[in-house]
Amino acid sequence: MKLFDADYYDPDEVLAHPRHQEMQPVLATLIQQLRDCTTEEAGVAFQRDLLTRLLEVEKDRKELKRAADRMRKRKSPHLEAPEPRSGRDLGNMETWRFEHDVCERLARQLRSVGDALAWRVFGFHRPFILALCRNDPPGPMYGKAGLQAELDRVEEVFKENGSFALLHDLTNCLRIGDVTVWDGANPPCTEEIKTNPEVRKSAQIRRINQARAAVLEGGPLPGSNASELLHDLDLPLRTHLDVLRDALEQAATEGIHATAVPGSRALYVVDQYGCVQQGLSSAQFNERLQQAVGAALENAGIAASREDHNVHFTSMDSTARNPLRVPWANYPLHPVVCARLIGDYAAMTVETSGPALADLLRVVGLDAHWVRPPGKANLKPGDVVMEIHHQEQFRAVSLPGGLTMTPGWTLQMGRSELDRYMIELVQPGSWIAGMKHLLAARRGGQPWPHYRNEHEVWV
């Protein structure tokens, strides 16, 4: 599997880059620092530290892009350009593009820690994330007009009230509004910071109000589709994240570890440091990976359908790309392990069979059908993968001509919900109970379900 779409460098070059390797202990330290925060003062200090590191990376990223642009015009890089550290030819434009791409990844890695901060200050209450993520992703903070006004607001909140205000652009998952303020008494309040009081951003204010109403009043989620609503499953979330933890620990020494996971899933983990420790050649790595994955698929009962109906979800190069995913820094794992997942030095993949999932639901009485066509094409946002039909047998209506109509409806499962079942290793019992809850609610539209007690699951 390719880490990146670029064809002018190999993924291993990224992992071997000094900047990329040096970020690993930084990430682990930041994650531990975040977990140690117990006061608003500590949170403010942590946010300042994270912001400083992000701005440093984004400044280098901007200058490297400028150098690459100059090289493309047959000019020399400008004097302010950071010196490449990859060992590549400095006279080759692709060297500068590569250095820029490494910084882009490092910025996302730091933002993923910002995402972890956001989840924590929102009390791991997923509805806030689901509501505030519905916008385009943030651009670079370095050089952003209005950044100082946002920083001033954050400092003002702390100095005046001792309260915490979160910078949204420090995250990937908060895309509506500029800052969110906690005062200790009221629900968190998201604000749009105006650098020019005469300019009113009515569209952004409207989306902020819509997000707030969606979480607190049950209104539609931000966007043009009024049928998209949050849905409280009133159920606890149960996971098999202990299986992931064990697999990561095994892979750290063995290089590769694969296992079946309840719910028709196979989990396989690759750890770069473990592979180096084992001294695996490329051929040995491929052979061991194929054997381990094959055994896990067999044990999960999904080996036979792999060519046509299996789908997989991976951590590979996913950091701070999908705002719906819980950030790796919040997983109940050691900070060093979280940093490895963020930096792709450890990678997890979860695979399942669509028909096997449908069978899992039919066993408990749900009329489920896997509707994704056979093939290996990647799932895209918005793709429907499964339909679950429900008919109200007690409301059958007789029609002329001896016909009978039975009212019913269909619940469609999209890619995002399947991604959650896979990557969060949700226990099949919790997953099935959630489906039943949605069907029993008899609500139309497009529900965005969320469990309770997530503060007990994530760190």
Side-chain angles (χ1 to χ4, degrees):
M1 178 178 296
K2 290 180 64 178
L3 265 175
F4 316 102
D5 294 329
D7 56 4
Y8 49 88
Y9 57 83
D10 185 270
D12 288 341
E13 289 186 83
V14 176
L15 300 183
H17 194 288
R19 279 181 179 265
H20 203 270
Q21 292 184 340
E22 290 166 5
M23 183 58 74
Q24 280 291 289
V26 172
L27 291 171
T29 299
L30 285 170
I31 293 168
Q32 187 59 60
Q33 184 181 345
L34 172 59
R35 294 180 179 183
D36 290 339
C37 288
T38 57
T39 65
E40 284 77 5
E41 183 178 8
V44 170
F46 171 80
Q47 183 168 229
R48 289 188 192 126
D49 187 11
L50 181 59
L51 174 64
T52 298
R53 294 179 183 277
L54 178 60
L55 291 178
E56 289 173 352
V57 170
E58 288 192 342
K59 178 182 179 181
D60 286 351
R61 176 188 174 191
K62 180 180 179 179
E63 298 300 337
L64 288 163
K65 182 180 185 302
R66 181 183 172 192
D69 290 342
R70 288 178 61 88
M71 293 286 289
R72 186 166 53 250
K73 297 175 183 177
R74 302 182 183 278
K75 298 180 180 180
S76 298
H78 56 298
L79 294 177
E80 298 82 4
E83 183 177 353
R85 299 173 58 191
S86 60
R88 283 171 157 239
D89 180 5
L90 298 184
N92 190 330
M93 181 193 68
E94 291 183 352
T95 296
W96 299 88
R97 292 175 63 194
F98 172 57
E99 296 283 343
H100 166 271
D101 289 357
V102 169
C103 284
E104 186 275 334
R105 280 176 51 83
L106 298 182
R108 284 194 288 109
Q109 291 173 16
L110 289 168
R111 270 202 169 89
S112 75
V113 181
D115 287 339
L117 171 62
W119 276 77
R120 179 164 180 175
V121 293
F122 277 114
F124 303 99
H125 191 51
R126 195 180 297 248
F128 282 106
I129 308 297
L130 294 175
L132 290 171
C133 76
R134 299 168 67 83
N135 235 350
D136 293 331
M141 292 185 79
Y142 181 78
K144 173 189 173 182
L147 175 58
Q148 189 57 52
E150 295 171 18
L151 295 176
D152 291 344
R153 176 56 177 153
V154 169
E155 295 297 331
E156 175 189 37
V157 168
F158 180 65
K159 289 178 181 178
E160 291 187 356
N161 308 311
S163 300
F164 182 78
L166 175 65
L167 279 169
H168 285 199
D169 279 354
L170 200 55
T171 78
N172 170 64
C173 65
L174 303 180
R175 302 178 175 186
I176 294 177
D178 293 321
V179 302
T180 293
V181 178
W182 284 259
D183 64 9
N186 301 298
C189 180
T190 298
E191 302 176 359
E192 182 78 13
I193 306 301
K194 302 182 183 68
T195 55
N196 183 351
E198 297 180 1
V199 177
R200 294 185 59 83
K201 299 180 179 180
S202 57
Q204 282 300 318
I205 298 299
R206 184 166 56 251
R207 292 181 77 83
I208 289 174
N209 291 335
Q210 198 172 11
R212 184 177 180 84
V215 176
L216 302 179
E217 303 168 14
L221 287 163
S224 58
N225 188 349
S227 68
E228 292 188 85
L229 303 168
L230 295 167
H231 184 93
D232 183 358
L233 293 174
D234 193 20
L235 297 167
L237 176 64
R238 298 285 184 265
T239 72
H240 285 296
L241 291 176
D242 57 324
V243 177
L244 173 61
R245 183 179 60 252
D246 293 343
L248 286 163
E249 289 176 356
Q250 291 291 327
T253 56
E254 299 170 3
I256 300 167
H257 187 78
T259 184
V261 181
S264 300
R265 291 167 290 187
L267 165 68
Y268 33 106
V269 175
V270 174
D271 186 291
Q272 296 289 336
Y273 296 105
C275 289
V276 171
Q277 183 174 319
Q278 290 292 320
L280 299 179
S281 67
S282 178
Q284 290 172 325
F285 170 83
N286 290 329
E287 180 181 2
R288 186 174 296 185
L289 179 64
Q290 185 176 5
Q291 291 176 347
V293 171
L297 292 171
E298 288 286 351
N299 291 335
I302 57 175
S305 61
R306 192 173 200 195
E307 287 300 315
D308 293 326
H309 295 292
N310 280 20
V311 292
H312 68 268
F313 295 82
T314 181
S315 67
M316 192 83 72
D317 195 31
S318 64
T319 293
R321 290 194 184 278
N322 183 353
L324 299 177
R325 280 192 176 181
V326 178
W328 305 120
N330 287 134
Y331 274 60
L333 305 167
H334 192 281
V336 170
V337 178
C338 293
R340 289 190 185 186
L341 283 169
I342 291 170
D344 291 320
Y345 291 98
M348 62 172 287
T349 300
V350 189
E351 184 170 335
T352 191
S353 160
L357 289 185
D359 290 342
L360 194 65
L361 296 176
R362 283 196 290 268
V363 166
V364 296
L366 297 177
D367 185 16
H369 302 272
W370 183 255
V371 298
R372 181 175 183 260
K376 295 184 177 180
N378 291 330
L379 289 174
K380 299 184 293 295
D383 281 356
V384 174
V385 296
M386 187 184 299
E387 292 184 344
I388 307 170
H389 307 294
H390 180 77
Q391 290 185 328
E392 296 189 4
Q393 299 295 337
F394 297 107
R395 293 181 56 194
V397 178
S398 298
L399 300 175
L403 300 176
T404 300
M405 178 185 72
T406 303
W409 59 92
T410 298
L411 180 65
Q412 293 183 324
M413 179 188 296
R415 171 191 164 180
S416 61
E417 182 62 23
L418 184 56
D419 181 277
R420 180 174 183 184
Y421 173 68
M422 300 288 281
I423 288 295
E424 297 179 19
L425 296 180
V426 178
Q427 288 188 7
S430 289
W431 185 62
I432 292 169
M435 297 296 169
K436 290 183 174 180
H437 193 283
L438 284 169
L439 289 167
R442 304 179 184 180
R443 293 179 63 180
Q446 299 181 29
W448 286 83
H450 57 93
Y451 295 86
R452 298 192 174 182
N453 84 305
E454 294 207 45
H455 63 284
E456 299 176 0
V457 176
W458 312 111
V459 181

